[in-house]
Amino acid sequence: MSTWNPDQDVELTDSEDEIAMKRDFNGREAILFVVDANLETERFMDALKLIRGAFISGMLVNGKDLMGLIFANTKYSPPPKEIQCLENITVSANCAVFLPLRQLTKAIVEHFMDFMQQAEELFPKEYGLAEPDGRGSFAQMIRLCIEMLEKCGKKLNNAKIVYITDVEEPHSPSSPEFQRALQKASDLDGKEFEFQVIPMIDDFDYEPFYKEFITLSRAIELDAFRVPDAQLQREILEDRKLRQDFLRRCLGHFTLSLGPNLSLSAQYYNYFQRRAYPQKVHIMRRDNSVVRKRRQIMVRQLDGETEEITHEYQIKMTGGWHECKIGDEVIRVTTEQLNRVRNLHPPGMMLLGFKHRSALPANIYSKPCNFMYPDDQNIIGSKRLFRALWQRCLEREKIAICLFMCKRKSVPRYVALLPVEAAQPDDKNYRSLLSGDGFKIVYLPEAKHIRHIDMCDWNSTGNTSTDEGVGFFQKVIRKLSVDYQPNLINDPNLEVLQSNLLALALDFKTEDDGLSQLPDPAMQNKRIEKLLPAYETLFEAEIEPAKKRAASSNSNEGSAPKIAKIEEAQLKSYDFVEELIKDKRLGACTAQQLRYILDEHFGVKPAKSSTKAALIERIESLSE
């Protein structure tokens, strides 16, 4: 996803040609973990646990993502488990590749978990620490990461190098290695690879080296750099499911038309990502192979008199048609004709006008909002034009009214572009991750979205409350309200499903059930305990509804348990059984009594799954 900074000017090309560059947005996401060997034993194990959480949650979120692991500043460089993966890669000194960039599988995760169990003893022996001061070449490490990302064999859309360390500067500022490391930052900018530092200590100082390195790699000014919260970074990196909720994944690309011969390219995404459950498939019982389905559409022509099939042939999905009868004529509309009507207008957004910000209600519940930001890849200069429109709307408190068609064959919607500013990052609030500088796309309600409520039915004197009563319950709501933390409250059904998958595949048990961090009801009762006397004085005592009378046990309803009409003692006589068979009265016996007859008189023990009809048929066949 392309990012933009409204405080930073965008350089425009001198060419006057309208360039609409075709950009391929398909590809996979890759994360290459680099662990510094200088970490203490406790911090080193915490870093491995962080990577283990990223591996396990990454398999559950998106199994097609690529992940790899490198140990930096090591004395030895043992080969990975897949030795052939380094044939075209030159491993730098003081670096060791533990896992090349691969799509995560059960075997890879189990291999890493086995290494974690013996890491405290094996790592000092097999990898060690670089001599003499434990500092290898940072520039060579970056070169190795870039080479592994380029030669991973997959098409990447979002590649990231995650460096886990607690050392604030990899080299002395006066050393030539320090300057070489800064020069490698420009290589990251040219390759569009993102570099991220995950400090294992909370009071990490970026000033000596990493502030300048990160700004150079992202091509931003030093003043635009904001020190991230270390704990928040570790939590987001470890829990890929949490990152999935806040991932600003682009939903589409469109052109915003501002007037004749004036347009800009933009993208939009959801504020909240909807978690998709695993797709259900049918498997064969004998070998658990997936059953593949194929749909066939057959057209048959029947004879009007004999109703026999006179002609039959197969068509494709696009070869079908719709028929509607108007009077005595039947009109046939093909799929191609229907698509032409749906695609009368190309996808995009068209500006209609401006309104004051006060004309837009605070809350509109017809459809969730989206976020819109510019894309300079399709139309050069879109960021600068977008910035001018955004700043102008902020200064004058205006909103833009547009007609938006997000994709082909979709219904055009009237939307309002509400300018929003980025919130300052909060240490404990994840909502700061949702906000950014740009326009919020607010979908305006239509006539079908507005309900017509008859106020006379419910707005009666008995349903009204005094101002004191309303104020009382506002206090209660404030006492019981909690700050939503997405890392604490998850989808319980999805959590149970994923826990079962982990237990089945990796024998890995998770203790978090998704609802364990909800407020304690006893604590909530204690909070509003002081308000209960005021409730009794403001409102009348509640009248308990009358309890419904229990159903009589003597009723002849179908839900009552069946009572045996024949006693057990009578079935011991074979003559009595013969009379039942002769009179066709075996249906009066229960299934348990029929099994007793087969076992006692015929020496047959039927299966427990046998139905009553099958038991009667078996008895009649044996008696003949």
Side-chain angles (χ1 to χ4, degrees), residues 81-314:
K81 189 175 181 181
E82 300 180 35
I83 304 177
Q84 67 277 7
C85 67
L86 301 178
E87 293 179 355
N88 300 326
I89 298 176
T90 304
V91 180
S92 307
N94 303 120
C95 291
V97 179
F98 179 82
L99 175 65
L101 284 168
R102 290 289 184 268
Q103 184 175 330
L104 292 180
T105 60
K106 176 184 176 182
I108 292 177
V109 177
E110 288 180 345
H111 173 60
F112 177 76
M113 295 176 67
D114 293 340
F115 169 77
M116 278 189 60
Q117 297 177 357
Q118 305 175 357
E120 296 185 13
E121 300 178 0
L122 293 181
F123 189 81
K125 298 178 182 178
E126 296 185 1
Y127 295 90
L129 186 62
E131 296 178 352
D133 55 354
R135 296 184 178 183
S137 176
F138 188 84
Q140 292 297 323
M141 184 267 292
I142 295 295
R143 182 205 61 79
L144 175 61
C145 295
I146 294 175
E147 188 176 0
M148 290 186 63
L149 289 171
E150 290 179 340
K151 299 180 180 180
C152 65
K154 301 293 182 181
K155 191 175 184 179
L156 302 180
N157 183 25
N158 186 9
K160 180 184 294 185
I161 301 173
V162 179
Y163 187 51
I164 305 176
T165 182
D166 58 357
V167 180
E168 295 176 352
E169 51 182 4
H171 300 288
S172 175
S174 59
S175 63
E177 287 291 337
F178 188 89
Q179 299 299 326
R180 294 194 191 100
L182 291 178
Q183 291 175 1
K184 280 294 178 182
S186 60
D187 296 344
L188 291 173
D189 180 36
K191 301 293 184 181
E192 295 186 356
F193 296 152
E194 182 182 354
F195 180 83
Q196 184 179 6
V197 179
I198 303 296
M200 297 305 295
I201 53 177
D202 294 336
D203 53 347
F204 189 80
D205 188 9
Y206 287 82
E207 290 292 337
F209 173 77
Y210 289 106
K211 179 179 180 180
E212 184 176 1
F213 184 85
I214 293 175
T215 53
L216 288 175
S217 64
R218 299 179 183 177
I220 60 177
E221 298 293 334
L222 284 173
D223 299 338
F225 177 78
R226 296 179 180 178
V227 178
D229 181 68
Q231 183 179 359
L232 179 64
Q233 282 187 307
R234 292 193 293 267
E235 291 178 358
I236 294 177
L237 184 65
E238 181 180 6
D239 192 356
R240 301 278 296 170
K241 295 180 290 184
L242 172 64
R243 184 175 180 274
Q244 183 190 25
D245 290 340
F246 293 94
L247 183 61
R248 298 173 181 178
R249 192 169 297 237
C250 179
L251 297 178
H253 315 267
F254 59 90
T255 300
L256 172 57
S257 178
L258 302 177
N261 301 325
L262 181 61
S263 60
L264 61 88
S265 60
Q267 305 176 23
Y268 74 104
Y269 63 81
N270 279 336
Y271 276 99
F272 295 93
Q273 294 293 329
R274 180 179 297 176
R275 289 193 178 183
Y277 283 77
Q279 185 178 4
K280 296 180 180 180
V281 296
H282 294 276
I283 59 176
M284 301 295 294
R285 180 179 294 181
R286 58 177 183 271
D287 55 356
N288 290 341
S289 60
V290 179
V291 177
R292 300 188 178 275
K293 301 179 181 179
R294 184 179 178 183
R295 177 183 295 180
Q296 292 183 351
I297 302 178
M298 304 298 296
V299 178
R300 296 183 178 90
Q301 184 178 359
L302 301 178
D303 190 356
E305 298 179 356
T306 61
E307 294 187 357
E308 295 181 356
I309 300 175
T310 58
H311 186 54
E312 181 179 7
Y313 60 96
Q314 181 180 352

Side-chain angles (χ1 to χ4, degrees), residues 20 28 53 60 144 192 314 320 322 337 353 401 418 464 471 519 534 537 564 572 619 621:
R28 304 191 183 190
L60 298 174
L144 175 61
E192 295 186 356
Q314 181 180 352
H322 301 270
Q337 294 173 342
I401 307 299
L418 179 66
T464 58
T537 57
K572 294 181 180 180
I619 293 174
S621 61

Side-chain angles (χ1 to χ4, degrees), residues 360 399-402 414-418 439-444:
L360 184 67
I399 59 173
I401 307 299
C402 303
Y414 289 99
V415 297
L417 301 184
L418 179 66
F439 284 102
K440 181 193 292 186
I441 303 177
V442 181
Y443 293 87
L444 301 179

Side-chain angles (χ1 to χ4, degrees), residues 270-463:
N270 279 336
Y271 276 99
F272 295 93
Q273 294 293 329
R274 180 179 297 176
R275 289 193 178 183
Y277 283 77
Q279 185 178 4
K280 296 180 180 180
V281 296
H282 294 276
I283 59 176
M284 301 295 294
R285 180 179 294 181
R286 58 177 183 271
D287 55 356
N288 290 341
S289 60
V290 179
V291 177
R292 300 188 178 275
K293 301 179 181 179
R294 184 179 178 183
R295 177 183 295 180
Q296 292 183 351
I297 302 178
M298 304 298 296
V299 178
R300 296 183 178 90
Q301 184 178 359
L302 301 178
D303 190 356
E305 298 179 356
T306 61
E307 294 187 357
E308 295 181 356
I309 300 175
T310 58
H311 186 54
E312 181 179 7
Y313 60 96
Q314 181 180 352
I315 63 172
K316 298 181 179 180
M317 288 289 295
T318 57
W321 60 85
H322 301 270
E323 289 185 355
C324 59
K325 190 174 182 180
I326 300 178
D328 297 335
E329 297 185 2
V330 177
I331 299 177
R332 176 177 295 185
V333 181
T334 63
T335 307
E336 183 180 358
Q337 294 173 342
L338 190 62
N339 291 335
R340 288 179 186 175
V341 177
R342 290 177 176 176
N343 297 328
L344 288 177
H345 302 282
M349 183 180 292
M350 181 176 60
L351 178 64
L352 301 179
F354 295 92
K355 297 282 288 185
H356 195 267
R357 193 165 185 170
S358 60
L360 184 67
N363 297 313
I364 296 178
Y365 301 102
S366 62
K367 187 177 180 181
C369 301
N370 297 131
F371 183 79
M372 171 184 168
Y373 60 99
D375 176 23
D376 221 19
Q377 298 290 335
N378 292 336
I379 300 178
I380 301 300
S382 297
K383 290 184 178 180
R384 172 166 290 185
L385 184 57
F386 188 92
R387 174 193 172 189
L389 179 64
W390 174 74
Q391 283 186 340
R392 208 64 172 170
C393 291
L394 274 178
E395 294 172 357
R396 298 189 176 186
E397 297 184 355
K398 296 287 186 178
I399 59 173
I401 307 299
C402 303
L403 183 64
F404 182 38
M405 186 174 178
C406 59
K407 58 184 179 180
R408 295 186 307 110
K409 302 179 184 179
S410 62
V411 179
R413 293 290 302 269
Y414 289 99
V415 297
L417 301 184
L418 179 66
V420 292
E421 295 182 276
Q424 295 297 327
D426 194 348
D427 294 343
K428 298 181 180 180
N429 191 0
Y430 286 84
R431 290 186 180 273
S432 60
L433 302 177
L434 297 176
S435 58
D437 294 319
F439 284 102
K440 181 193 292 186
I441 303 177
V442 181
Y443 293 87
L444 301 179
E446 299 176 358
K448 61 181 179 181
H449 299 139
I450 300 175
R451 297 181 299 171
H452 298 282
I453 302 176
D454 189 2
M455 300 295 180
C456 299
D457 293 341
W458 64 275
N459 193 11
S460 59
T461 307
N463 294 332

